[in-house]
Amino acid sequence: FFLYKNIPSQSKMFFPPVNFSAVEENVYRSGVPISINFPFIENLSLKTVVFLHSKHKIDQSLEIFLSDLGVQSVVLTEPEESTPLSAKHKKSDHITEETVIQAVSLLIDQSNHPILLICETGKYRTGTVVACLRKLQRWSLSSIFEEYRRFTKDKVKVQNEQFIELFDTDLVNIPLNKPHFLDS
């Protein structure tokens, strides 16, 4: 991170974080950025970054970088007593309904834009939240799952897909000043 600060701006290279993609105008998703991604992230002029973490500590250099840019960091952690989508998974790639509702609410609040949604790899937790946003946008389930699987590759989590299918979009409060991508 500190080396990044000393690089002249004209010679900075732009490398997006793993699984980076635009979701909608001013709404992005990815895995957790590392120092080589910082010039790319800076170029997005973010206002908010939403971290979907269970027990992982956020890298200090990323915290400092975002703070220096004046980016609001929102950390949505899973409570210790939360029930995972599948108790069989020791790896924390599950996400609770409460966290999904919080994350989607942040994504559709224009006062947070431009916004980046991240989890460790940008696959499962991030993919579940984006899929629930797509459901709110009234995408077909086949389109939602196609996008979800594009990021998870061959490691589809059936439990996550069941969660997405059963997710009740009525639990998300739509703001009065909703973003254009929620227009039906």
Side-chain angles (χ1 to χ4, degrees):
F1 169 70
F2 299 103
L3 292 175
Y4 161 76
K5 285 259 190 202
N6 299 325
I7 300 173
S9 60
Q10 65 271 19
S11 64
K12 290 181 185 173
M13 302 279 297
F14 296 104
F15 298 100
V18 65
N19 288 317
F20 177 85
S21 183
V23 176
E24 290 292 344
E25 182 180 352
N26 291 318
V27 179
Y28 308 98
R29 64 173 289 165
S30 76
V32 174
I34 57 174
S35 60
I36 196 169
N37 309 131
F38 290 175
F40 180 88
I41 296 298
E42 182 177 12
N43 203 43
L44 295 174
S45 301
L46 295 172
K47 197 170 191 180
T48 311
V49 173
V50 179
F51 296 89
L52 300 172
H53 286 278
S54 56
K55 296 177 180 100
H56 299 287
K57 192 84 171 125
I58 298 164
D59 183 71
Q60 186 179 13
S61 65
L62 179 59
E63 281 187 289
I64 293 167
F65 170 73
L66 294 174
S67 176
D68 286 351
L69 291 178
V71 175
Q72 174 190 7
S73 298
V74 179
V75 180
L76 300 179
T77 57
E78 297 297 324
E80 289 294 324
E81 69 277 357
S82 71
T83 305
L85 292 176
S86 170
K88 295 178 190 173
H89 293 290
K90 298 214 184 333
K91 196 174 179 193
S92 56
D93 54 19
H94 68 276
I95 189 166
T96 63
E97 183 177 64
E98 297 81 29
T99 302
V100 171
I101 292 167
Q102 287 180 294
V104 170
S105 296
L106 289 164
L107 294 178
I108 63 174
D109 181 349
Q110 290 187 95
S111 68
N112 295 319
H113 292 183
I115 188 169
L116 174 64
L117 177 70
I118 64 174
C119 68
E120 185 178 355
T121 63
K123 292 180 183 181
Y124 305 108
R125 284 171 273 154
T126 296
T128 300
V129 170
V130 170
C132 291
L133 172 66
R134 299 305 191 197
K135 198 166 178 192
L136 189 63
Q137 292 177 286
R138 303 193 191 289
W139 280 30
S140 69
L141 277 177
S142 61
S143 296
I144 292 170
F145 291 145
E146 189 281 324
E147 181 181 49
Y148 175 80
R149 291 172 185 156
R150 191 175 332 130
F151 289 92
T152 61
K153 314 268 187 281
D154 295 328
K155 295 183 179 182
V156 172
K157 304 286 184 189
V158 175
Q159 296 84 0
N160 288 14
E161 290 189 356
Q162 288 172 338
F163 175 88
I164 293 161
E165 185 174 357
L166 298 173
F167 180 72
D168 183 1
T169 58
D170 289 338
L171 297 173
V172 178
N173 293 320
I174 308 296
L176 292 175
N177 184 20
K178 64 183 178 181
H180 69 85
F181 59 79
L182 282 185
D183 293 336
S184 327

